[in-house]
Amino acid sequence: MQDKLSALVAKATAELPTLKSRPEFEAAKARYVGPNGELTALMKQMGGIPKEQKPIVGKLVNEAKLRLTAQLDAALARIAADELAAQLGPAIDPTLPSPDTGPGTYHPLTLVREEMCRILRKVGFTVADGPEVETEYYCFDALNTPADHPARDEKDTFYFPTSARFGNVSKKTPEEKYLLRTHTSSVQIREMLKGPPPIRIVSPGRVYRRDTTDATHSANFHQLECLYVDKNVTVRDLKALLDYIFVSLLGKDTKTRFRPHYFGYTEPSFEVDLTATHLPKVKKPWIEIGGCGMVDPTVFEAVGYDSEVWSGYAFGMGLERLAMLLYGIDDIRYFYQNDLRFLKQFA
Amino acid sequence: MKISLNWIKDYVQLDASVEEITRAITFLGFEVEGVANTGAPKLDHVVVGEILTRAKHPNADKLSVCTVDVGPAGGVKTIVCGAHNCDAGNRVLVALPGAVLPGNFQIKLSKIRGQDSQGMMCSPDEIGMGSDHSGLLILSGQPDLGAAMNAVLPPGDTVFDIEITPNRPDCQSHLGIARELAAWFKLPLIYPQEKFRGDVEAAAVRTDLLNAVRVDSPEDCPLYTAHIITGIKIGPSPSWMQERLAAVGLRPINNVVDVGNYVMLETGQPLHAFDAKKLGGGQIIVRRATDGEKITTLDAKERALTSRMLVIADAQKPVVIAGIMGGENSGVSAYTTDLVLECAIFKRQSIRATSRKVGLTSDSSYRYERGVDPHGALEAAWRAVDLILETAGGHVVGPVYKVGGEVPWQREIVVTHDYITEKIGFDIPAADMRAALESLELTVTREEPTELPARGPAWTVSIPSWRDDLDRPIDLVEEVLRLFGTEKIPAAVVTSPGLVNDDDPVVMFNRRVTDYLVGHDFHECVNYTLRPAKELATWVSQTAAQELALANPFVEDQSHLRPTLIMGLLGSLQLNQSRGVVASRLCEVGRVFIEHNGQNLECAAVGFIIAEPVGERAWLKREPADFYIVKHHVTALAAAAGIDLARQSLAPVAGPFFGWQEGQSAAAGTIELGWTARFGLLNLAMVKSLGIEGKVYAGIFAILPDKLSASLARRRYSDFSLFPAALRDLALVVDQAIPAADVQETLEKFAHTAAGNAFAVESVNAFDVYQGKGLPEGKKSLAFSLVFRSAERTLTDDEVNAAFTKIQADIAADGRWSVRA
């Protein structure tokens, strides 16, 4: 018996480390310790062992069983480890580049627009949107720009033929013409016509001027305008907003100043200059950055607001101009060429 | 507009520096676009010298060697000179070593062709006085030897180039700007004093020269005045007048024409002078032209007139396009002795319309278009009469004509200190406010306390006729603020209540899709909205293209609204490829315009392309793009708009145009539904014709903005089962042309019928498509995985098998397809 047990263990010791796969292992395990296994068969012979030898033989059987189990466990662990190792290829070279191009990039105009919208959101402005095809009423009439104003000239503004119809751009009067908006101020009119103040919106968007394309002009470009209408809004509040915007954008040493100017839709009106350190490619101490003013009572009248009760301010600027200033870009046409060597610089 | 500082000083005694005046003009609200000096710049080491001797340079034909005495500045110098006029005895300007001339030209001791030269004698352009390089500047009047240049040359003038905003026509003149500066510097404004004030001796009446002035079109010409001056002598105007006109960019012509221009630049009122003898019938008639009438204007061009244009005519013919330009037939010439001086007011709109129609602008039309002080015309005429008499001689004779002009001017605005304070948001003392208004000649005719005694006064302000732009109390707020100084508006903190609204749904959609695409390695592009006609032909029908056309495009290749974003992206791809830049994934978010039944609809849109990365060399090759990759992205973009593309029927892209490759692209949605999607492979031939290499896959999703507002309904949670699923696979043999979605739909129906109420059909999903060996010609095999599950229990094989058998029986009964063995 003892010999048989020793031989069995020796056989297993030799065979189990050579097993390659799980099925081989399962077969071997059955052969040794399964219901019809060799060890099981030996254990079944225990009945024929004389009573006095039983404790000794029993002990030997148990020892053999323990050794076999340990060897089986070791073999299974080795096979499992081999299986995992087989899933791996050769070691990688971490220094090779990824063949996938990327990452994607946001256009610099998007980056600047979103940064402005985030800055403005912190002081209560939410983003409004409106059509790029507009009518004379929303783009001009309601903004105190009378019919004979030069800005409305066919020389400067893109119009559509009188026969053109735009199904989802509402007209105020049947005879007015469709045009491409020359500023996003039309969004302000549409917003004010939706309901009573308070209003606190920022309207970024694409606008169109009939202009020669060169390094600083583009047939379409982007604007961003703010409108705030409430009770007791003052010039000083407007100045505070502009200071806040540009300090947030360009840092604490940034200053703005107002110069009186003229716009039909604001009174008083100002041009805004800013000065800041660390701006690339800027040689002048003060840079003109936008226009602003207090909403003209005529505009309130057009949208049915009582100018005795409500007051407000508006501010507008060109996004390309701002992006050019922030990044040190000197040709507006680059924004519309989409050369990847340009686009990848702003991520 | 150009403003001469010397001229301004006639009206306001400025002693401020040019910098301070520039600042003042800027903060009064007029942008200073340039400041130029007409005189000599300040230069050191440039002194007066006298040429003592001149000899030919031994080694150069065109050069001379001179000795020049610069007196106390260094004695006699030897100087090589190339000018023709370096003759002995001339006093000239000598730049000595150490001088730095304009253009950073440094003067040193030098050798020129072997000859020492100890300085340079200067031509006018070399010392920054104009462009004359024809010879040395010869000084007259024997200035002292060695005297510094700036002590000898006249100081010149400073000319400001100022942008006048359209609301301030009164500042289209030196007097107007002087008024502003006087207010800023708190100095008095000195008006020119007319000697002539309209009085004509009764005896001196020359109706033979002008017997009638008639205004037939008073709505276009509210005031017309004419003065007759006889016995004048045409000649050059005096040098002071010529200098001023030249300084602001006008060419001096003769004394009469120059006076007209001078008075216009002084007062802002345009004038016109006729040769009295050339006025046919001795008449002036202000009338509309007749259609087809012609006039040859002073620029020697013949102009056709229409009945909407106002002209000044004599008894026979038009002699002036009113307010714009005179005719050759009636102007002042060297032989003119008697003249008629016109000073009139024309309606702005009339001048503007005519100027545009004729294509002709002038200093006069520019001022009339913006508005001229209707009550300053007569004084301007008197001023011109004074200056003509002074510079050309002659006498004013009668009769003096004045037609129209009866409307009196009176305007008062009541404004309170509190109103102004309320609008600006900070305190300015009442006395300062009042002083600001009065400094601009806005006379306060009455000051009264307001009802609450603790508060500031109310002012009744009389508005002068030249300030038609001031009409309401708010307009006076600006005047006070301007003179207070907009730079001094005090800082404050932004007060910010809670948000009033959320961002617009279109804005949120744009953000979501941009984030998605950039997150999937796309590069966001921005392309022009306006596209060329030929590009549209690729994407939309001819009728649609017509609807999208502008009435007045500026350039041919930007004539139509874009109906898709793809064309712009292909342009960007082509640009990158042509520059040798590897480009593959590009996207754009923006508006497109979709024509539908003769109407254009403005849509929010997102588009992308995935191109073969032509020129890319990579050590590891990736699978190229395919249809299902773009389908995946379009599905995600539609989902951002709340649209589940899986529930939409897809159709091949159809149409007579060729943007998409037939059989390799699909369309979903329609603009009637409020949205549309297109995706797949772009037409190979079209892409190639654009000069693009390789295949390009693309996708676009467009939606009406209102649809986005509606898509924000909150979803409800539905329970899901924790019991295990039962899976069955089923392969069907179907015609190759049958879309998988059709088969799947039927299969889902059968599965639901078979499962009944007993348990749920969780999904039916195509997982294998096969055609070829083992299948009949023209057939394909579609394999579906069916997932069954119960919410209450683990399903038994028996019940699932029963259902599965029923499904197969139903397919057999249906007869269209067979189950693949």
Side-chain angles (χ1 to χ4, degrees), chain B residues 2-55:
Chain B
K2 292 210 165 84
I3 293 287
S4 147
L5 181 56
N6 287 349
W7 194 338
I8 285 283
K9 283 180 175 172
D10 280 4
Y11 320 119
V12 52
Q13 306 254 292
L14 291 173
D15 54 8
S17 69
V18 171
E19 287 68 34
E20 285 169 320
I21 295 168
T22 305
R23 223 180 102 79
I25 297 171
T26 303
F27 284 94
L28 281 162
F30 307 98
E31 199 166 329
V32 178
E33 289 172 336
V35 181
N37 285 297
T38 59
K42 180 96 185 64
L43 294 174
D44 292 329
H45 305 295
V46 183
V47 300
V48 177
E50 183 173 315
I51 302 171
L52 301 177
T53 62
R54 174 182 182 173

Coordinates of all heavy atoms in Angstrom, one line a residue, chain B residues 2-55:
Chain B
K2 N -9.9 117.4 -41.8 CA -8.6 118.0 -41.4 C -8.9 119.3 -40.8 O -9.6 120.2 -41.3 CB -7.7 118.1 -42.6 CG -7.3 116.7 -43.2 CD -5.9 116.8 -43.8 CE -5.3 115.5 -44.0 NZ -5.7 114.9 -45.3
I3 N -8.2 119.5 -39.6 CA -8.4 120.8 -38.9 C -7.0 121.4 -38.6 O -6.1 120.7 -38.1 CB -9.1 120.5 -37.5 CG1 -10.5 120.1 -37.7 CG2 -9.0 121.7 -36.6 CD1 -11.5 121.2 -38.2
S4 N -6.8 122.6 -39.0 CA -5.5 123.3 -38.8 C -5.5 124.0 -37.5 O -6.5 124.7 -37.1 CB -5.4 124.3 -40.0 OG -4.6 125.5 -39.5
L5 N -4.5 123.8 -36.8 CA -4.4 124.4 -35.4 C -4.2 125.9 -35.5 O -4.8 126.7 -34.8 CB -3.2 123.8 -34.7 CG -3.0 124.3 -33.3 CD1 -4.2 124.1 -32.4 CD2 -1.8 123.6 -32.6
N6 N -3.4 126.4 -36.5 CA -3.3 127.8 -36.7 C -4.6 128.5 -36.9 O -4.9 129.6 -36.4 CB -2.3 128.1 -37.9 CG -0.9 127.8 -37.6 OD1 -0.6 127.6 -36.4 ND2 0.0 127.8 -38.6
W7 N -5.4 127.8 -37.7 CA -6.7 128.4 -38.1 C -7.6 128.4 -36.9 O -8.3 129.4 -36.6 CB -7.3 127.5 -39.2 CG -8.4 128.0 -39.9 CD1 -9.3 128.9 -39.6 CD2 -8.9 127.5 -41.2 NE1 -10.3 129.1 -40.5 CE2 -10.0 128.3 -41.6 CE3 -8.4 126.6 -42.1 CZ2 -10.7 128.1 -42.8 CZ3 -9.0 126.4 -43.3 CH2 -10.2 127.1 -43.7
I8 N -7.6 127.3 -36.1 CA -8.5 127.2 -34.9 C -8.1 128.3 -33.9 O -9.0 128.9 -33.3 CB -8.2 125.8 -34.2 CG1 -8.8 124.7 -34.9 CG2 -8.6 125.8 -32.8 CD1 -10.3 124.6 -34.7
K9 N -6.9 128.7 -33.9 CA -6.4 129.7 -33.0 C -7.0 131.1 -33.3 O -7.0 132.0 -32.4 CB -4.9 129.8 -32.9 CG -4.4 128.6 -32.1 CD -2.8 128.7 -32.0 CE -2.3 127.5 -31.1 NZ -0.9 127.5 -31.1
D10 N -7.6 131.3 -34.5 CA -8.4 132.5 -34.7 C -9.6 132.6 -33.8 O -10.0 133.7 -33.6 CB -8.9 132.5 -36.2 CG -7.8 132.9 -37.2 OD1 -6.6 133.1 -36.8 OD2 -8.1 133.0 -38.4
Y11 N -10.1 131.5 -33.4 CA -11.4 131.5 -32.7 C -11.3 131.2 -31.2 O -12.2 131.4 -30.5 CB -12.4 130.5 -33.3 CG -12.3 130.5 -34.9 CD1 -12.0 129.4 -35.6 CD2 -12.6 131.7 -35.6 CE1 -11.9 129.4 -37.0 CE2 -12.6 131.7 -36.9 CZ -12.2 130.6 -37.6 OH -12.1 130.6 -39.0
V12 N -10.1 130.5 -30.9 CA -10.0 130.2 -29.5 C -8.5 130.3 -29.2 O -7.6 129.8 -29.9 CB -10.6 128.9 -29.1 CG1 -10.1 127.7 -29.9 CG2 -10.3 128.5 -27.6
Q13 N -8.1 131.1 -28.1 CA -6.7 131.4 -27.8 C -6.1 130.2 -27.1 O -5.8 130.3 -25.9 CB -6.6 132.6 -27.0 CG -7.4 133.8 -27.6 CD -6.4 134.8 -28.2 OE1 -5.7 135.5 -27.5 NE2 -6.4 134.9 -29.5
L14 N -5.8 129.1 -27.8 CA -5.3 127.9 -27.2 C -3.8 128.1 -26.9 O -3.1 128.6 -27.8 CB -5.4 126.7 -28.1 CG -6.8 126.2 -28.4 CD1 -6.8 125.1 -29.4 CD2 -7.4 125.6 -27.1
D15 N -3.4 127.8 -25.7 CA -1.9 127.7 -25.5 C -1.5 126.3 -25.0 O -0.4 126.0 -24.6 CB -1.4 128.8 -24.6 CG -2.1 128.8 -23.3 OD1 -2.9 127.8 -23.0 OD2 -1.9 129.7 -22.5
A16 N -2.4 125.4 -25.1 CA -2.2 124.0 -24.7 C -1.2 123.3 -25.8 O -1.2 123.8 -26.9 CB -3.5 123.2 -24.6
S17 N -0.5 122.3 -25.3 CA 0.3 121.6 -26.3 C -0.5 120.7 -27.2 O -1.7 120.5 -27.0 CB 1.3 120.6 -25.5 OG 0.5 119.6 -24.9
V18 N 0.2 120.3 -28.3 CA -0.5 119.5 -29.3 C -1.1 118.2 -28.7 O -2.2 117.8 -28.9 CB 0.5 119.2 -30.5 CG1 -0.2 118.1 -31.4 CG2 0.8 120.4 -31.2
E19 N -0.3 117.7 -27.7 CA -0.7 116.4 -27.0 C -2.0 116.7 -26.3 O -2.9 115.9 -26.3 CB 0.4 115.9 -26.1 CG 1.6 115.3 -26.8 CD 2.4 116.3 -27.5 OE1 2.5 117.5 -27.1 OE2 3.0 115.9 -28.6
E20 N -2.0 117.8 -25.6 CA -3.2 118.1 -24.8 C -4.4 118.4 -25.7 O -5.6 118.0 -25.3 CB -3.0 119.4 -23.9 CG -2.1 119.1 -22.7 CD -1.6 120.4 -22.0 OE1 -1.3 121.4 -22.7 OE2 -1.6 120.4 -20.8
I21 N -4.2 119.0 -26.8 CA -5.3 119.3 -27.7 C -5.8 118.0 -28.3 O -7.0 117.7 -28.4 CB -4.9 120.3 -28.8 CG1 -4.6 121.7 -28.1 CG2 -6.0 120.5 -29.8 CD1 -3.9 122.7 -29.0
T22 N -4.9 117.1 -28.7 CA -5.2 115.8 -29.2 C -6.1 115.1 -28.2 O -7.2 114.5 -28.6 CB -4.0 115.0 -29.5 OG1 -3.1 115.7 -30.4 CG2 -4.3 113.7 -30.2
R23 N -5.7 115.1 -27.0 CA -6.5 114.4 -25.9 C -7.8 115.0 -25.8 O -8.9 114.3 -25.6 CB -5.7 114.6 -24.6 CG -5.6 113.4 -23.8 CD -4.8 113.7 -22.5 NE -5.8 114.0 -21.5 CZ -6.3 113.0 -20.8 NH1 -6.0 111.7 -21.1 NH2 -7.2 113.2 -19.8
A24 N -7.9 116.4 -25.8 CA -9.2 117.1 -25.7 C -10.1 116.6 -26.8 O -11.3 116.3 -26.5 CB -8.9 118.6 -25.7
I25 N -9.6 116.7 -28.0 CA -10.5 116.3 -29.2 C -11.0 114.9 -29.0 O -12.2 114.6 -29.2 CB -9.7 116.5 -30.5 CG1 -9.3 117.9 -30.7 CG2 -10.6 116.0 -31.7 CD1 -8.4 118.2 -31.9
T26 N -10.1 114.0 -28.6 CA -10.4 112.6 -28.4 C -11.5 112.4 -27.4 O -12.5 111.7 -27.6 CB -9.2 111.8 -27.9 OG1 -8.1 112.0 -28.9 CG2 -9.5 110.3 -27.8
F27 N -11.4 113.1 -26.2 CA -12.4 112.9 -25.2 C -13.6 113.8 -25.3 O -14.6 113.6 -24.6 CB -11.7 113.0 -23.8 CG -10.9 111.8 -23.5 CD1 -9.6 111.7 -23.8 CD2 -11.6 110.6 -23.0 CE1 -8.9 110.5 -23.6 CE2 -10.9 109.5 -22.8 CZ -9.5 109.4 -23.1
L28 N -13.6 114.7 -26.3 CA -14.8 115.4 -26.6 C -15.7 114.5 -27.5 O -16.8 114.7 -27.8 CB -14.5 116.7 -27.4 CG -14.1 117.8 -26.4 CD1 -13.4 118.9 -27.2 CD2 -15.3 118.4 -25.7
G29 N -15.0 113.4 -28.0 CA -15.8 112.4 -28.8 C -15.5 112.3 -30.2 O -16.3 111.8 -31.0
F30 N -14.3 112.8 -30.6 CA -13.9 112.8 -32.0 C -12.6 112.0 -32.1 O -11.6 112.5 -31.5 CB -13.8 114.2 -32.6 CG -15.0 115.0 -32.4 CD1 -15.1 115.9 -31.4 CD2 -16.1 114.9 -33.2 CE1 -16.2 116.7 -31.2 CE2 -17.3 115.6 -33.0 CZ -17.3 116.5 -32.0
E31 N -12.6 111.0 -32.9 CA -11.4 110.2 -33.0 C -10.3 110.9 -33.8 O -10.6 111.4 -34.9 CB -11.7 108.8 -33.6 CG -10.6 107.8 -33.4 CD -11.1 106.4 -33.7 OE1 -12.3 106.1 -33.6 OE2 -10.2 105.6 -34.1
V32 N -9.1 111.1 -33.2 CA -8.1 111.7 -34.0 C -7.3 110.6 -34.7 O -6.6 109.8 -34.1 CB -7.1 112.5 -33.0 CG1 -6.0 113.1 -33.8 CG2 -7.9 113.5 -32.2
E33 N -7.5 110.6 -36.0 CA -6.9 109.6 -36.8 C -5.4 109.9 -37.2 O -4.7 109.0 -37.6 CB -7.7 109.3 -38.1 CG -9.0 108.7 -37.7 CD -10.0 108.5 -38.8 OE1 -9.9 109.3 -39.8 OE2 -10.9 107.7 -38.8
G34 N -5.0 111.1 -37.1 CA -3.6 111.5 -37.4 C -3.3 112.9 -37.0 O -4.2 113.7 -36.9
V35 N -2.1 113.2 -36.6 CA -1.6 114.5 -36.4 C -0.4 114.7 -37.2 O 0.6 114.0 -37.1 CB -1.3 114.7 -34.9 CG1 -0.8 116.2 -34.6 CG2 -2.4 114.3 -34.0
A36 N -0.4 115.8 -38.1 CA 0.7 116.0 -39.0 C 1.2 117.4 -38.8 O 0.5 118.3 -38.5 CB 0.2 115.8 -40.4
N37 N 2.5 117.5 -39.0 CA 3.1 118.9 -38.9 C 3.5 119.3 -40.3 O 4.1 118.5 -41.1 CB 4.4 118.8 -38.1 CG 4.1 118.7 -36.6 OD1 3.4 119.6 -36.1 ND2 4.4 117.6 -36.0
T38 N 3.1 120.5 -40.7 CA 3.5 121.0 -42.0 C 4.8 121.8 -42.0 O 5.4 121.9 -43.0 CB 2.4 121.9 -42.6 OG1 2.3 123.0 -41.7 CG2 1.1 121.2 -42.7
G39 N 5.2 122.2 -40.9 CA 6.4 123.0 -40.8 C 7.7 122.1 -40.6 O 7.6 120.9 -40.9
A40 N 8.8 122.7 -40.3 CA 10.0 121.9 -40.1 C 10.0 121.2 -38.8 O 9.5 121.7 -37.8 CB 11.2 122.9 -40.2
P41 N 10.5 120.0 -38.8 CA 10.6 119.2 -37.5 C 11.8 119.8 -36.7 O 12.6 120.6 -37.2 CB 10.9 117.8 -38.0 CG 11.6 117.9 -39.3 CD 11.0 119.2 -39.9
K42 N 11.8 119.5 -35.5 CA 12.9 120.0 -34.6 C 14.1 119.1 -34.9 O 14.1 117.9 -34.7 CB 12.4 119.8 -33.1 CG 13.4 120.3 -32.1 CD 13.1 121.7 -31.6 CE 14.2 122.2 -30.6 NZ 15.5 122.3 -31.2
L43 N 15.2 119.8 -35.3 CA 16.4 119.0 -35.6 C 17.6 119.8 -35.0 O 17.7 121.0 -35.1 CB 16.6 118.9 -37.1 CG 15.6 118.1 -37.9 CD1 15.9 118.2 -39.4 CD2 15.6 116.7 -37.5
D44 N 18.5 119.0 -34.4 CA 19.7 119.6 -33.8 C 20.9 119.5 -34.8 O 20.9 118.6 -35.7 CB 20.1 118.8 -32.5 CG 19.1 119.1 -31.4 OD1 18.5 120.2 -31.4 OD2 18.9 118.2 -30.6
H45 N 21.9 120.3 -34.6 CA 23.1 120.3 -35.5 C 22.8 120.6 -36.9 O 23.5 120.2 -37.8 CB 23.8 119.0 -35.3 CG 24.2 118.6 -33.9 ND1 25.0 119.4 -33.1 CD2 23.7 117.6 -33.1 CE1 25.1 118.9 -31.9 NE2 24.3 117.8 -31.9
V46 N 21.7 121.3 -37.2 CA 21.4 121.7 -38.6 C 21.4 123.2 -38.5 O 20.6 123.8 -37.8 CB 20.1 121.2 -39.1 CG1 19.9 121.6 -40.6 CG2 20.1 119.6 -39.0
V47 N 22.4 123.9 -39.2 CA 22.6 125.3 -39.0 C 22.7 126.0 -40.4 O 22.8 125.4 -41.4 CB 23.9 125.6 -38.2 CG1 23.8 124.9 -36.8 CG2 25.1 125.1 -39.0
V48 N 22.6 127.4 -40.3 CA 22.7 128.2 -41.5 C 24.2 128.3 -41.9 O 25.1 128.5 -41.0 CB 22.2 129.6 -41.3 CG1 22.3 130.4 -42.5 CG2 20.7 129.5 -40.9
G49 N 24.5 128.1 -43.2 CA 25.9 128.3 -43.7 C 25.8 129.0 -45.0 O 24.8 129.0 -45.7
E50 N 27.0 129.6 -45.4 CA 27.0 130.3 -46.7 C 28.1 129.6 -47.5 O 29.2 129.3 -47.1 CB 27.4 131.7 -46.5 CG 27.4 132.4 -47.9 CD 27.6 133.9 -47.8 OE1 26.9 134.6 -46.9 OE2 28.4 134.5 -48.5
I51 N 27.7 129.2 -48.8 CA 28.7 128.6 -49.7 C 29.7 129.6 -50.1 O 29.3 130.7 -50.7 CB 27.9 127.9 -50.9 CG1 26.9 126.9 -50.4 CG2 28.9 127.2 -51.8 CD1 26.0 126.4 -51.4
L52 N 31.0 129.3 -49.8 CA 32.0 130.3 -50.2 C 32.6 130.0 -51.6 O 32.7 130.9 -52.4 CB 33.1 130.2 -49.1 CG 32.7 130.6 -47.7 CD1 33.9 130.4 -46.8 CD2 32.2 132.0 -47.6
T53 N 32.9 128.7 -51.8 CA 33.4 128.3 -53.1 C 32.8 127.0 -53.6 O 32.3 126.2 -52.8 CB 35.0 128.1 -53.0 OG1 35.2 127.0 -52.1 CG2 35.7 129.3 -52.5
R54 N 32.8 126.9 -54.9 CA 32.3 125.6 -55.5 C 33.3 125.1 -56.5 O 33.7 125.9 -57.4 CB 31.0 125.8 -56.1 CG 30.4 124.6 -56.9 CD 29.1 124.9 -57.5 NE 28.6 123.7 -58.2 CZ 27.4 123.6 -58.7 NH1 26.6 124.7 -58.7 NH2 27.0 122.5 -59.3
A55 N 33.8 123.9 -56.4 CA 34.7 123.3 -57.4 C 34.2 122.0 -57.8 O 33.5 121.3 -57.0 CB 36.1 123.2 -56.8

